[in-house]
Amino acid sequence: MIEYRNLRVALLGAGSVGAQVATLLLEHGDELAQRVGASLELVGIAVRDVDAVRTAELPKHLFTTDAESLILGSDIVIELMGGLEPARSYVLQAIRSGADVITANKAMLANHGPELFDAAEQVGAQLYYEAAVAGAIPIIRPLRDSLAGDRVQRILGIVNGTTNFILDRMDRESVGLDEALAVATELGYAEADPTADIEGYDAAQKAAILASLAFHTTVPVEAVHREGITKLTSAEIDAARKAGYVVKLLAICERLVDPDTGADGVSARVYPALVDRDHPLAAVHGANNAVFVEAEAAGSLMFYGAGAGGIETASAVLGDLVSAARRHVVGGPGVAESTHANLPVLPIGSITTRYQIALQVTDQPGVLAAIARIFSEHGVSVEALEQTVRHHGPGGVVADSPTATLVIGTHAATEAALAATVAAVAASDVVAAVTSVLRVEGA
Ligand code: NAP
């Protein structure tokens, strides 16, 4: 019988993820011990209410409300409480006491990452966070380790399952946003207050984490340009389908050249975008997540799977636990967070992409030429122009000033040039309304 060294593991939180982590750790402890070369002893679980009903049956004696005492003397602390405080304070306490920390808390990392990584570096502790982005999908370790010798150019991520479920439903069932959101809520994919998901805050936190890691640069969450899905109409989703696209809420992290200075920079942004139906991301349905990575040498890679769920996320947490425990066994310095590139985070005006714009115009001779002139004057080149609908007056009779819908696809243009073009088009006499402006990504 091999005598293993004992590692003391403290768990903070026993909710959707924490309860599953505790169960797996208790059930598979012997197997994990053999993989690690040390036994992993769950010494306690800190919660708010020790008598609350849990999603898994766990030994009562492990529960405590005294997180601080639990952290003291632990080798590894797993933070699965969520939120900024007291999670941040407990994580700092754990790090300063020399423990390695595992967390799934994207909000805490996106807001306090540099402070936590600095604290860890000072004492030689490690902070693991595979579960913080895209749940069960391995993406942090591939970016940090597997692609460490390559140069990541761009990441396109579907990193929020709730919004992907809603957009997928709008696309496949031709329903409006409210109806799709109601279904998501009913099925438990959306929370009672869905703001963090549908306004893109959750995806922006994940974009900040991915961009920081991929580009060896600190990308604060405030620097992530964010647009949610609330303004999308079913007409836009239908039009996208007819044009061969699907609308996805994307977290985009990109290495680019600043058009003003010619210097390298990075962009991190979240918005709903048109994705070609042939792109692998178009096949990500329901509440699934996927992260599409383009690297200089590796080419395109896609990581796909469950982006949330208690037991799925627990898998990523336990992977981190095995890594942390192995380091305790074999020793040696951990990997510090790499921010050596220190690239500037560029504003949204600096990005270049393709656009699809829908306009309602007066249906009269010369309109197309007038619109084309405005685009050309602003240096935005038109790739495709289609008059899709002619609106008639009542009873099918052509009205005095009938209008038509024009859909214009552009070649790649800067966001700044596009914004100026849209403003000029909106002010034009021949345009009744700009009904949609969507970016096209993934080409
Ligand atoms: P949850 O179900 O709300 O559970 C939170 C747990 O933390 C509860 O057990 C709660 O105790 C405990 N807790 C909260 N505040 C506390 C405090 N001040 N002191 C002590 N205990 C406290 O959360 P979750 O869904 O498991 O999420 C945990 C983390 O994982 C979050 O950072 C989340 O963003 C992340 N994550 C979750 C998922 C997912 O699918 N759920 C996926 C990826 C990442 P009581 O039970 O006594 O109230």
Side-chain angles (χ1 to χ4, degrees), residues 191-427:
E191 305 205 5
D193 177 0
T195 312
D197 294 323
I198 62 178
E199 294 292 0
Y201 290 102
D202 173 83
Q205 290 168 350
K206 292 164 178 169
I209 294 170
L210 290 176
S212 300
L213 193 60
F215 305 129
H216 306 276
T217 287
T218 301
V219 178
V221 68
E222 306 80 54
V224 180
H225 174 87
R226 178 191 53 77
E227 294 169 34
I229 63 166
T230 49
K231 294 199 184 93
L232 280 173
T233 63
S234 39
E236 283 177 298
I237 306 273
D238 289 345
R241 187 186 321 108
K242 283 178 195 133
Y245 294 113
V246 60
V247 179
K248 295 287 183 193
L249 182 70
L250 296 183
I252 303 170
C253 310
E254 196 172 19
R255 183 190 293 275
L256 37 83
V257 172
D258 186 337
D260 294 331
T261 64
D264 283 347
V266 300
S267 156
R269 52 197 200 263
V270 170
Y271 46 63
L274 298 171
V275 174
D276 197 290
R277 285 199 175 254
D278 291 336
H279 193 282
L281 287 172
V284 179
H285 296 296
N288 281 310
N289 281 197
V291 184
F292 190 80
V293 180
E294 294 166 16
E296 206 170 80
S300 298
L301 308 166
M302 186 153 107
F303 302 81
Y304 167 83
I311 192 153
E312 293 87 346
T313 308
S315 160
V317 172
L318 282 168
D320 279 350
L321 179 59
V322 168
S323 297
R326 278 187 182 141
R327 196 177 80 86
H328 276 267
V329 172
V330 297
V335 190
E337 202 58 9
S338 158
T339 53
H340 66 85
N342 199 18
L343 294 167
V345 186
L346 302 179
I348 188 73
S350 306
I351 71 153
T352 298
T353 189
R354 287 160 55 215
Y355 300 85
Q356 184 134 307
I357 302 133
L359 311 171
Q360 224 172 309
V361 296
T362 53
D363 193 13
Q364 61 194 41
V367 167
L368 292 189
I371 303 277
R373 199 175 319 114
I374 296 174
F375 274 75
S376 136
E377 278 165 8
H378 289 83
V380 177
S381 152
V382 172
E383 185 187 25
L385 192 151
E386 198 188 340
Q387 178 171 316
T388 56
V389 191
R390 179 161 294 174
H391 306 281
H392 294 283
V397 178
V398 176
D400 283 350
S401 20
T403 59
T405 298
L406 272 191
V407 178
I408 299 167
T410 76
H411 285 290
T414 65
E415 181 88 7
L418 192 276
T421 310
V422 170
V425 163

Side-chain angles (χ1 to χ4, degrees), residues 13-376:
S16 307
V17 185
Q20 298 305 321
V21 167
T23 304
L24 292 174
L25 186 51
L26 294 170
E27 277 177 6
H28 304 320
D30 292 345
E31 201 181 325
L32 293 178
Q34 289 175 38
R35 281 181 210 166
V36 167
S39 63
L40 299 167
E41 183 196 357
L42 181 59
V43 290
I45 307 173
V47 291
R48 278 178 299 211
D49 176 3
V50 291
D51 296 319
V53 178
R54 305 281 156 202
T55 54
E57 220 168 285
L58 294 165
K60 273 265 173 234
H61 72 272
L62 288 177
F63 284 91
T64 175
T65 53
D66 186 358
E68 288 183 16
S69 301
L70 181 61
I71 292 167
L72 278 178
S74 294
D75 299 299
I76 299 170
V77 173
I78 306 177
E79 184 280 305
L80 294 170
M81 298 184 340
L84 298 183
E85 283 295 349
R88 169 186 155 274
S89 299
Y90 289 154
V91 166
L92 281 172
Q93 188 206 333
I95 289 170
R96 287 175 185 147
S97 72
D100 282 342
V101 172
I102 295 159
T103 181
N105 191 335
K106 63 231 151 199
M108 179 182 71
L109 290 171
N111 286 283
H112 301 297
E115 179 191 22
L116 301 176
F117 289 117
D118 279 357
E121 201 174 348
Q122 276 172 29
V123 297
Q126 286 283 283
L127 187 54
Y128 298 83
Y129 54 100
E130 184 61 72
V133 181
I137 304 171
I139 185 61
I140 300 300
R141 210 169 274 111
L143 285 174
R144 200 188 58 191
D145 299 337
S146 321
L147 291 167
D150 206 332
R151 211 165 188 236
V152 174
Q153 299 292 2
R154 185 163 65 157
I155 297 172
L156 301 173
I158 295 174
V159 291
N160 182 273
T162 309
T163 46
N164 200 59
F165 178 89
I166 292 170
L167 294 176
D168 193 37
R169 189 103 190 163
M170 289 174 77
D171 179 47
R172 299 218 265 186
E173 313 275 331
S174 281
V175 295
L177 185 100
D178 290 346
E179 196 178 331
L181 173 59
V183 178
T185 311
E186 198 183 309
L187 296 178
Y189 291 124
E191 305 205 5
D193 177 0
T195 312
D197 294 323
I198 62 178
E199 294 292 0
Y201 290 102
D202 173 83
Q205 290 168 350
K206 292 164 178 169
I209 294 170
L210 290 176
S212 300
L213 193 60
F215 305 129
H216 306 276
T217 287
T218 301
V219 178
V221 68
E222 306 80 54
V224 180
H225 174 87
R226 178 191 53 77
E227 294 169 34
I229 63 166
T230 49
K231 294 199 184 93
L232 280 173
T233 63
S234 39
E236 283 177 298
I237 306 273
D238 289 345
R241 187 186 321 108
K242 283 178 195 133
Y245 294 113
V246 60
V247 179
K248 295 287 183 193
L249 182 70
L250 296 183
I252 303 170
C253 310
E254 196 172 19
R255 183 190 293 275
L256 37 83
V257 172
D258 186 337
D260 294 331
T261 64
D264 283 347
V266 300
S267 156
R269 52 197 200 263
V270 170
Y271 46 63
L274 298 171
V275 174
D276 197 290
R277 285 199 175 254
D278 291 336
H279 193 282
L281 287 172
V284 179
H285 296 296
N288 281 310
N289 281 197
V291 184
F292 190 80
V293 180
E294 294 166 16
E296 206 170 80
S300 298
L301 308 166
M302 186 153 107
F303 302 81
Y304 167 83
I311 192 153
E312 293 87 346
T313 308
S315 160
V317 172
L318 282 168
D320 279 350
L321 179 59
V322 168
S323 297
R326 278 187 182 141
R327 196 177 80 86
H328 276 267
V329 172
V330 297
V335 190
E337 202 58 9
S338 158
T339 53
H340 66 85
N342 199 18
L343 294 167
V345 186
L346 302 179
I348 188 73
S350 306
I351 71 153
T352 298
T353 189
R354 287 160 55 215
Y355 300 85
Q356 184 134 307
I357 302 133
L359 311 171
Q360 224 172 309
V361 296
T362 53
D363 193 13
Q364 61 194 41
V367 167
L368 292 189
I371 303 277
R373 199 175 319 114
I374 296 174
F375 274 75
S376 136

